[in-house]
């Protein structure tokens, strides 16, 4: 192998290493967010809570939900996605829950926490307004209206 071929081979290897490792070197901090499908509901009406984590590879524990007085909470699953496109890698994991309010009122869901490595990440607070589940009774035809 000539000296010129060695230089070209070395440059090619260096480029390949930089191309494939650069996304790993500039990894950003994980992002954590929470959202609900409805912010105003009635008692016993389901609310879907989604906790999304992006920028984390590998395994980690499910998020720690704060105490939710006045709600029944059901874990409804986890979904993960990883993609590597044009040298850019992206990962996303979602944890899904169903919340069922058992009383009326204004509720503030405190930040949800997750431990990743030696850091604790927190979501935003969420506000949920729950109204009483009032059902109007049908009136018979020709019956006088209640006074």
């Amino acid at each position: 192998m000539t000296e010129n071929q060695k230089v070209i081979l070395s440059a090619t290897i260096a480029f390949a290493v930089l191309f494939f490792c650069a996304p790993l070197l500039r990894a950003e901090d994980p992002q954590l967010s929470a959202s609900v499908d409805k912010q105003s509901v009635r008692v016993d009406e389901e609310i879907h809570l989604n906790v999304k984590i992006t920028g984390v590879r590998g395994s980690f524990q499910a998020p720690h939900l704060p105490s939710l007085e006045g709600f029944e909470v059901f874990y409804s699953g986890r979904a993960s996605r990883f993609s590597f496109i044009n040298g850019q890698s992206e990962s996303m994991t979602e944890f899904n829950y169903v919340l069922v309010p058992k009383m009326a009122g204004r509720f503030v869901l405190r930040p949800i926490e997750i431990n990743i490595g030696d850091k604790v990440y927190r979501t935003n607070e969420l506000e949920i307004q729950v109204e009483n589940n009032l059902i109007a009774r049908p009136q018979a035809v020709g019956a006088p209206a209640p006074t």
Side-chain angles (χ1 to χ4, degrees):
M1 184 177 272
T2 68
E3 191 64 35
N4 197 22
Q5 289 174 325
K6 288 180 185 177
V7 169
I8 291 173
L9 180 60
S10 296
T12 304
I13 291 171
F15 175 76
V17 168
L18 285 174
F19 179 78
F20 289 109
C21 294
L24 301 175
L25 296 175
R26 57 183 175 80
E28 298 177 18
D29 277 343
Q31 300 295 314
L32 181 63
S33 64
S35 62
V36 289
D37 64 337
K38 303 175 219 169
Q39 292 181 313
S40 181
V41 295
R42 297 205 176 276
V43 171
D44 292 327
E45 185 179 345
E46 289 185 358
I47 303 165
H48 296 269
L49 169 65
N50 175 271
V51 180
K52 185 184 294 188
I53 303 141
T54 57
V56 178
R57 276 176 253 158
S59 61
F60 50 90
Q61 295 292 320
H64 173 71
L65 294 183
S67 175
L68 295 170
E69 291 288 322
F71 287 86
E72 286 184 355
V73 179
F74 302 95
Y75 177 69
S76 62
R78 171 184 182 154
S80 296
R81 183 187 74 204
F82 179 80
S83 63
F84 190 82
I85 301 171
N86 295 330
Q88 299 291 325
S89 65
E90 181 182 300
S91 64
M92 186 268 305
T93 301
E94 293 180 325
F95 293 89
N96 296 295
Y97 302 86
V98 175
L99 310 178
V100 181
K102 293 301 176 186
M103 64 172 85
R106 181 184 158 273
F107 298 89
V108 176
L109 177 59
R110 293 180 316 209
I112 298 166
E113 297 181 348
I114 188 166
N115 295 317
I116 300 172
D118 59 350
K119 290 186 177 180
V120 177
Y121 296 89
R122 292 175 182 83
T123 66
N124 45 309
E125 282 187 346
L126 298 172
E127 187 174 317
I128 300 169
Q129 182 66 40
V130 180
E131 303 294 331
N132 279 322
N133 200 0
L134 301 176
I135 301 173
R137 283 186 261 149
Q139 208 171 31
V141 177
T147 55

